[in-house]
Amino acid sequence: MSEQQPEPAVEEPVVEEQIAFDVNDFPGGARSAIEAVLMVVDEPVAEVALASALELPVDDVREHLHGLEREYAEQQRGFTLRSVAGGWRVYSRSDYAPVVEKFLLDGQQAKLTQASLETLAVIAYRQPISRSRVSAVRGVNVDGVVRTLLNRGLIEELGAEGDSGAVLYGTTDYFLQRLGLGSIDELPALAPYLPEVDVLDEIAEQGRA
């Protein structure tokens, strides 16, 4: 008689422990709990998703959302709650758009790195100039920095170089506006300290050798 083989062990499915709570036990109740969730979402969240997470009826969630929307308007808060694309999300109130825009633009200017400022200076004083020539002056690759300056609206493409076809860059009106200048001619006298175009070409060629 053959020995009976033991049956293979069957792993029990792992059941994730659910976090148990009653939203009414929170200091601000269900409405504050909904606010807490809305503060961390990156895109509009559906009423059904909120109801599921908070274990509330959808109708109750919808009532709380409209209540929050009214409260924000009555209190003249800087933000509002809007239903967009089938979900709800907190947005900055449009009345304050000028303040938000100024903050974002000033913040971008303040966050320019030393590398960005040095690259911007080379472009400003030697424009129109290609990336390879800027790299020759700085001694490093400036592709990433140039993209940053383009995204900030501080420089723009001015066409292509005749012989090589390389893209040429120069500063924008926004650059002048940020510096309070009427034209490039009003820049401080720094250009004499930068290499001339033919010297830049020579340096660039040495770097490629």
Side-chain angles (χ1 to χ4, degrees):
M1 179 183 296
S2 60
E3 296 183 0
Q4 186 176 2
Q5 298 294 327
E7 295 183 359
V10 178
E11 294 185 0
E12 294 292 333
V14 177
V15 179
E16 294 184 2
E17 183 178 354
Q18 296 292 323
I19 299 175
F21 58 77
D22 184 341
V23 292
N24 295 313
D25 292 338
F26 294 117
R31 189 162 294 189
S32 294
I34 291 173
E35 276 186 313
V37 173
L38 292 172
M39 288 297 148
V40 299
V41 297
D42 295 326
E43 56 187 21
V45 58
E47 295 171 358
V48 173
L50 284 170
S52 176
L54 301 176
E55 300 181 1
L56 291 172
V58 175
D59 289 342
D60 288 359
V61 169
R62 185 179 301 115
E63 182 180 347
H64 285 307
L65 288 167
H66 286 291
L68 286 169
E69 187 179 22
R70 287 192 300 271
E71 286 179 17
Y72 297 158
E74 292 169 358
Q75 297 170 7
Q76 297 184 338
R77 307 300 295 268
F79 51 86
T80 185
L81 189 59
R82 296 208 311 265
S83 176
V84 178
W88 291 79
R89 188 180 177 187
V90 175
Y91 292 87
S92 173
R93 193 175 295 279
S94 59
D95 297 340
Y96 300 96
V99 177
V100 174
E101 181 179 2
K102 184 176 186 303
F103 169 78
L104 292 176
L105 292 176
D106 287 350
Q108 287 182 345
Q109 182 69 12
K111 292 177 182 176
L112 282 179
T113 63
Q114 184 66 30
S116 296
L117 291 173
E118 291 174 1
T119 301
L120 183 58
V122 174
I123 294 173
Y125 283 98
R126 282 285 177 257
Q127 60 184 306
I129 187 171
S130 65
R131 280 184 296 182
S132 63
R133 287 176 172 172
V134 177
S135 296
V137 174
R138 297 204 55 241
V140 296
N141 185 289
V142 297
D143 290 357
V145 178
V146 167
R147 283 195 296 271
T148 297
L149 295 175
L150 283 169
N151 291 335
R152 300 286 175 86
L154 295 169
I155 64 172
E156 61 185 349
E157 296 182 1
L158 299 179
E161 201 169 31
D163 297 334
S164 64
V167 176
L168 299 174
Y169 298 93
T171 52
T172 62
D173 291 338
Y174 177 65
F175 167 81
L176 295 174
Q177 175 188 335
R178 297 301 301 172
L179 267 65
L181 303 175
S183 70
I184 292 297
D185 296 334
E186 297 179 15
L187 284 169
L190 178 63
Y193 298 97
L194 294 174
E196 296 296 337
V197 173
D198 55 347
V199 177
L200 293 179
D201 288 338
E202 182 179 347
I203 297 174
E205 286 297 329
Q206 291 175 354
R208 287 191 289 266

